[in-house]
Amino acid sequence: MWSLFKVAFRNVGRNKRRSLITITTIFIGVVVICGVRGLLNGLQDEIRSGLARKIHGDVQLHKTGYRNSIDTSPYKIMFSYDAALQAKLRDYPMIKDVAPRLRLVGLLNHQRTQSTLPVMIQGFDSRHELVVCPRAADSVVQGRMLDSAQERQAVALAENDLAEATFLDAPGGEPSPSVKNTTGYHQALLSADLFKGLGAALGDEVVVLLNDKNNMQQALIATVTGVVDFALPTAEAKILWLDYHTLQNSLALHDEVSELALAITPDTSADAAVADLQAMLGKDLVAETYLELSGFLKDVMTIQNGIFNVIIIIVFAIVISAIVNTSLMTVMERIREIGTLMALGYRRRHILFLFLAESALIGVIGALTGLAVAGTVLGGLSMVGIDVTLPGQQVATVLYPRVPPGFLLFVMVLAIGSALAAAFVPAYRASLMRPVDALNKS
Amino acid sequence: MKNLGCLLLLMVSLQAQAESAEDIVKGVEKSLSPGDFIVTYELVNRRLDGTIVAYEVDFQIKDIDHAHGIFQKPEREKGREVLRVHDALWTYMPDVGRAIRIADRDSFAGGDFSNADIMRPDWTAHYKAQMAKETPKQWIIDMIAGDTEAAYAKMRLWVDRETHMPMQQHFFDSSGTLLKQCRYGAITRYDTLQRPARLHMENVLTGQATDMRILRLSAGQKFSDARFSVDNLGK
């Protein structure tokens, strides 16, 4: 058998050009597959990181029915983040931090332009939010991140005004005296779309109008301190962020939250955390991973993976057809040699083995060189990153391509397997030849 | 015994004061919406970009729970109707020939008055009135929302002691932020009724304002119950 291996080695070197073409085909196939997978992994890592570290946190806790009611009945899905729940989550070792959030719908009035728009309002406490979503601060493309420690609750000056009034038509009754309303300092972050749509500038004053749970109108005066661009296709384009405690005070909420965003320890998977939390919390609250919360992007990634699988099939179909072609030519050229080997006592299985060994050798060389080049290039890129920031996008999007070792092994097996599969039919046909017929072929 | 008498007198006096705040507000309500009257309001919405939109609306008001209004001006809005029947409020748009349920807190004709401000000044039903301050000339009364039907968390009403007419009103949210202020003027006598003929409502948060003026008012009218039926809107 070893002698057949040696023959196979020699045969690969005999027709260098043809072997080189076949090796190059496999090499290109391997590089393309690894390259595409590496870039796709980089893109999907960026999406995952964006979702988990900028927006959702690793895991979120909601009340049942959250998704159906968050936009229409935000108070219906609020739940109490009371001391008992806080203690329960604090005692859970896999949780790094918990960020309470409020989500509501309201109106935003931009004072300078007097534009009023319906907005999604999100309240967060920056002290916890930046632990759960550390990349959220990187998404502030203008101004600065909201700092909950800087919030100053308003003192209602107008409410303390008990000075006498005058009739509208009395001397000096018009115009109405200007009212110094409230003191206090509230920070507002606007999404980039909202900021642009309003024609706002940093430092502008905005009035947030929202109804409390008794459907009574409440108002908040805030200063625009930052602009947020997640550089991700999120469902809501018009989002306003305010401080969680400020919103709580304004809406007379006590410990209610719309959602709890959780950061879990790096050694815990989000799926495992969800399963554990769900078992601990029972049916009242639903634990979901960041991917479950972003159904659209999860679907996008599934489609991407499906397309990638099609690319693998197409690339290796081309590789196999090239190998089949060269193997057939090799067999045709070596019919007399096959006859000679058989006349010397080599059995059909030896002939089959010889051609398969040649093909496998070519597959190994092509796959190894392809993996070496792809691995080196991707390894380098994974350290420096590839900037794929779109024109007009204010946050740099950098992909870090990577291919896990398991995938490299899979590509190696696939390349060699494809070479063997492609060579099997020609090799089998060669093994079926009768020595006399083979020797008679010119 | 003397001390006890003083204490009793003080308690009676405090009780009288609390009641008087309620009574004063009821008096103001009565002057603004006496029942069984026809009134034509002119509303002028002044926007910050300089836009001025004027409306003229004829109202038939039977009582606090039954009111019907029909727009006369501008031409584009002519025939639009509003109807209050107890807590339900409807608007009828002739273009589509349908009645649509609207909310008390919604803006009336896109201005700064809410539907409740115009069509239902029944403050004592939803707010608890208490005297915030008394001066020789004015009563300053706070009205704190007592139920979820109230449009504002708190209102403050300035009332002239001499005429018992409202002078000014502030509308607050629950954190004490002033949302709107209404100023009253042009106290006018209409037959047996005396009331302010001009109201200036300013949204202090947006800076926009709406002026309301009474063009005609006729008290002591009788209306058919059919007028206050949703089925009869547009007829």
Side-chain angles (χ1 to χ4, degrees), chain B residues 83-154:
Chain B
L83 174 70
R84 148 142 343 262
V85 183
H86 298 287
D87 287 338
L89 195 58
W90 304 83
T91 185
Y92 173 84
M93 283 175 278
D95 293 350
V96 292
R98 295 282 186 280
I100 297 160
R101 184 92 184 252
I102 53 175
D104 269 349
R105 293 183 182 92
D106 290 347
S107 149
F108 184 86
D112 300 289
F113 287 96
S114 70
N115 290 316
D117 295 335
I118 300 269
M119 297 177 73
R120 207 182 199 192
D122 58 342
W123 303 319
T124 45
H126 303 295
Y127 295 85
K128 185 168 169 46
Q130 58 191 49
M131 192 66 72
K133 189 180 175 184
E134 274 188 83
T135 71
K137 291 181 178 172
Q138 292 172 21
W139 288 300
I140 304 172
I141 298 165
D142 280 349
M143 288 180 274
I144 314 295
D147 60 41
T148 57
E149 294 298 313
Y152 307 97
K154 178 177 167 180

Side-chain angles (χ1 to χ4, degrees), chain A residues 30-354:
Chain A
V30 168
V31 168
V32 167
I33 295 298
C34 289
V36 173
R37 184 70 258 179
L39 287 172
L40 204 53
N41 281 347
L43 178 66
Q44 293 184 349
D45 286 351
E46 172 60 22
I47 292 173
R48 284 197 186 91
S49 167
L51 291 174
R53 307 265 169 261
K54 285 181 186 174
I55 302 177
H56 296 308
D58 295 317
V59 172
Q60 278 194 14
L61 300 182
H62 306 127
K63 199 171 168 184
T64 311
Y66 171 85
R67 289 191 202 193
N68 294 335
S69 303
I70 186 64
D71 294 335
T72 50
S73 314
Y75 290 104
K76 204 171 127 189
I77 49 85
M78 285 186 185
F79 60 97
S80 174
Y81 183 41
D82 54 14
L85 182 57
Q86 286 179 34
K88 241 181 196 180
L89 296 175
R90 199 172 43 237
D91 293 344
Y92 217 57
M94 67 173 67
I95 295 173
K96 232 165 83 180
D97 203 351
V98 181
R101 292 175 179 173
L102 286 169
R103 277 172 66 114
L104 297 143
V105 180
L107 289 174
L108 177 73
N109 170 264
H110 180 235
Q111 290 277 282
R112 189 164 50 78
T113 58
Q114 276 308 317
S115 310
T116 303
L117 293 172
V119 290
M120 170 64 75
I121 299 164
Q122 298 190 7
F124 68 86
D125 181 336
S126 65
R127 287 160 287 211
H128 297 287
E129 191 71 21
L130 291 177
V131 178
V132 173
C133 292
R135 288 185 65 194
D138 300 339
S139 305
V140 179
V141 291
Q142 282 186 58
R144 60 170 178 78
M145 184 65 177
L146 185 154
D147 181 359
S148 294
Q150 288 189 25
E151 286 284 302
R152 277 199 324 274
Q153 297 311 318
V155 176
L157 295 181
E159 204 180 11
N160 298 327
D161 178 12
L162 288 166
E164 281 194 341
T166 50
F167 277 117
L168 188 58
D169 50 343
E174 286 186 276
S176 298
S178 65
V179 180
K180 191 157 177 60
N181 206 337
T182 55
T183 58
Y185 177 63
H186 303 307
Q187 303 152 83
L189 297 179
L190 307 186
S191 62
D193 283 353
L194 188 56
F195 187 77
K196 198 176 160 191
L198 288 170
L202 293 176
D204 280 357
E205 200 172 72
V206 289
V207 178
V208 186
L209 300 166
L210 60 181
N211 288 351
D212 65 17
K213 57 182 161 188
N214 295 325
N215 210 19
M216 196 171 282
Q217 194 181 61
Q218 306 294 341
L220 260 174
I221 301 168
T223 305
V224 179
T225 55
V227 182
V228 176
D229 185 355
F230 285 129
L232 279 169
T234 47
E236 291 290 337
K238 291 173 187 162
I239 312 176
L240 165 75
W241 288 269
L242 294 167
D243 177 63
Y244 168 72
H245 301 286
T246 299
L247 264 180
Q248 267 194 328
N249 285 342
S250 177
L251 299 170
L253 297 170
H254 300 292
D255 50 16
E256 290 104 321
V257 292
S258 306
E259 61 195 38
L260 289 174
L262 275 57
I264 54 173
T265 49
D267 54 338
T268 312
S269 82
D271 290 324
V274 161
D276 278 6
L277 285 165
Q278 200 61 74
M280 177 180 81
L281 297 167
K283 287 181 182 172
D284 289 344
L285 295 180
V286 177
E288 289 182 292
T289 65
Y290 60 90
L291 269 184
E292 288 168 326
L293 289 161
S294 300
F296 168 70
L297 288 173
K298 191 182 178 187
D299 292 345
V300 165
M301 286 193 277
T302 307
I303 292 167
Q304 285 174 345
N305 290 336
I307 292 171
F308 174 72
N309 291 338
V310 172
I311 291 173
I312 290 185
I313 292 167
I314 292 169
V315 167
F316 275 92
I318 294 168
V319 169
I320 287 171
S321 65
I323 299 172
V324 166
N325 191 33
T326 50
S327 297
L328 278 170
M329 285 175 72
T330 306
V331 169
M332 295 294 285
E333 281 174 1
R334 288 160 58 189
I335 287 174
R336 287 170 67 86
E337 184 187 320
I338 293 164
T340 308
L341 286 172
M342 285 178 144
L344 288 171
Y346 283 86
R347 312 296 298 242
R348 294 188 191 285
R349 67 171 187 278
H350 294 137
I351 302 299
L352 181 67
F353 178 81
L354 177 68

Side-chain angles (χ1 to χ4, degrees), chain A residues 359-426:
Chain A
S359 210
L361 193 59
I362 285 171
V364 168
I365 296 168
L368 283 178
T369 50
L371 290 177
V373 170
T376 307
V377 173
L378 289 175
L381 289 174
S382 71
M383 284 190 277
V384 295
I386 307 170
D387 190 341
V388 290
T389 310
L390 296 171
Q393 197 176 305
Q394 298 186 62
V395 183
T397 305
V398 181
L399 305 187
Y400 296 93
R402 64 168 182 92
V403 182
F407 184 78
L408 294 177
L409 190 66
F410 163 74
V411 173
M412 176 94 181
V413 170
L414 189 67
I416 297 168
S418 300
L420 285 172
F424 184 79
V425 173

